[in-house]
Amino acid sequence: MQSLESITGSPFDQNPNNSSSSSSSNGLYGWLSECHGFWHNLALTIPSLIFVIFLGFQAKKNFQKLSHGRSYIMISYYVCIWLVSLLNLALCCVQAWECTPGKETAWNVLSLFTTFGMLFLEVSLLAFLLQGNHASGLQALTRTFVISGLIVGLDLLLKAIYLFGFGVPLFIDNSEHPHKVKWGLWVVHRLVLTAIYGSILFMYHSKWRERLPARPAFYKYVAIMFIWNALALFACALTGNGVSFGFWLYSAAIICYHALYLPLLYITFLADFFLEEDMHLENVYYSEMKDAGFFDADWE
């Protein structure tokens, strides 16, 4: 015998077109506002998108400068920033996957490779910093990228083991049920980076200062990364101990990292190179025009 609900069920529940449109609107709403919320997703996506657009507008001019300068280090780093920026933008655009059943594996894999790329850029830049004025040429590039690749590759392997071997949700955040092993791992990770940046800051104020690049931009970069890693370390420690403010602080730190780190890296490491190439090209054009006699009338 059929129940009353099955006999008098609403026709709207049985309309496939209405069901599909509802799921479509829910999917769009979920991407915008669910999981971590509208402003969280917007704060991640908009800066990442703007930076990729900026790279796109500058691409033709920058490739010409890179081919003219013939710096293997700058060419490799520029290509790496392009690849990691696209990965980071993809990660920011699919934030809803973090809270979507059935998408956890895809989210973890994308997060794993995005963090691998960003950490590779971070470690390789530190390697260039520690080499000082000796970091030039193909040999220095190969040595730096091999060492950085080994270090970051080991980090990737350990994260993959904890993710897929032990089921530790490294990239899925839940403030209601904090995973102590996860936050303990992040504490160790941030502690190592904080100690490295702190050591470099100490070197800038010690007798080993001459071994580091003299540009103020590098010092500011190290100071910013030291402060950021120290805050992230503090946030991870608080969250691991069940303090809700720590989770909020950690979320803010992650937003800043994914939204602002790549532009900071570009400004620190590549912007001066492209500016110097502009000045070099202007001097070349001036010399060519002077040799052709364009400025002879100014001396008469």
Side-chain angles (χ1 to χ4, degrees), residues 183 186-192 194 226-251 253:
W183 294 111
W186 282 124
V187 164
V188 174
H189 182 81
R190 297 301 172 195
L191 182 62
V192 171
T194 303
F226 172 76
I227 294 171
W228 182 86
N229 277 284
L231 286 175
L233 171 63
F234 180 61
C236 290
L238 289 178
T239 308
N241 288 292
V243 181
S244 58
F245 172 73
F247 186 80
W248 178 88
L249 183 61
Y250 177 78
S251 298

Side-chain angles (χ1 to χ4, degrees), residues 209-275:
R209 181 176 183 176
E210 296 180 356
R211 299 187 58 183
L212 298 173
R215 292 189 176 185
F218 288 116
Y219 176 80
K220 293 177 182 177
Y221 166 82
V222 172
I224 291 171
M225 293 306 297
F226 172 76
I227 294 171
W228 182 86
N229 277 284
L231 286 175
L233 171 63
F234 180 61
C236 290
L238 289 178
T239 308
N241 288 292
V243 181
S244 58
F245 172 73
F247 186 80
W248 178 88
L249 183 61
Y250 177 78
S251 298
I254 292 299
I255 289 174
C256 291
Y257 185 68
H258 284 280
L260 303 176
Y261 176 68
L262 292 172
L264 173 65
L265 201 64
Y266 182 90
I267 293 171
T268 302
F269 198 64
L270 289 172
D272 287 345
F273 172 80
F274 292 133
L275 181 61

Side-chain angles (χ1 to χ4, degrees), residues 136-157:
S136 61
L138 184 60
Q139 183 178 2
L141 172 68
T142 305
R143 180 175 62 252
T144 301
F145 274 20
V146 167
I147 295 174
S148 303
L150 290 174
I151 295 173
V152 182
L154 178 61
D155 178 82
L156 174 70
L157 179 62

Side-chain angles (χ1 to χ4, degrees), residues 34-158:
E34 289 184 359
C35 201
H36 294 292
F38 175 79
W39 294 112
H40 178 278
N41 296 339
L42 201 66
L44 274 174
T45 307
I46 295 301
S48 303
L49 179 62
I50 291 174
F51 183 63
V52 170
I53 293 173
F54 168 78
L55 289 178
F57 277 115
Q58 298 289 323
K60 184 178 180 180
K61 182 172 65 174
N62 288 344
F63 275 121
Q64 290 176 348
K65 295 173 184 176
L66 288 168
S67 61
H68 180 269
R70 296 179 181 178
S71 171
Y72 295 109
I73 293 176
M74 293 300 177
I75 292 172
S76 301
Y77 227 78
Y78 185 71
V79 173
C80 287
I81 284 183
W82 252 112
L83 293 175
V84 176
S85 297
L86 293 174
L87 272 175
N88 185 58
L89 178 61
L91 183 72
C92 294
C93 289
V94 296
Q95 282 288 307
W97 285 8
E98 184 180 350
C99 308
T100 304
K103 294 288 187 180
E104 293 90 350
T105 301
W107 170 258
N108 285 330
V109 171
L110 183 58
S111 299
L112 197 62
F113 282 101
T114 303
T115 53
F116 169 83
M118 297 182 76
L119 187 61
F120 177 81
L121 290 174
E122 196 171 341
V123 172
S124 58
L125 181 55
L126 286 176
F128 284 125
L129 281 172
L130 294 176
Q131 292 180 66
N133 298 322
H134 302 289
S136 61
L138 184 60
Q139 183 178 2
L141 172 68
T142 305
R143 180 175 62 252
T144 301
F145 274 20
V146 167
I147 295 174
S148 303
L150 290 174
I151 295 173
V152 182
L154 178 61
D155 178 82
L156 174 70
L157 179 62
L158 291 175

Side-chain angles (χ1 to χ4, degrees), residues 1-14:
M1 184 175 180
Q2 291 180 330
S3 65
L4 183 62
E5 290 182 3
S6 63
I7 297 174
T8 61
S10 173
F12 294 105
D13 296 335
Q14 300 174 3

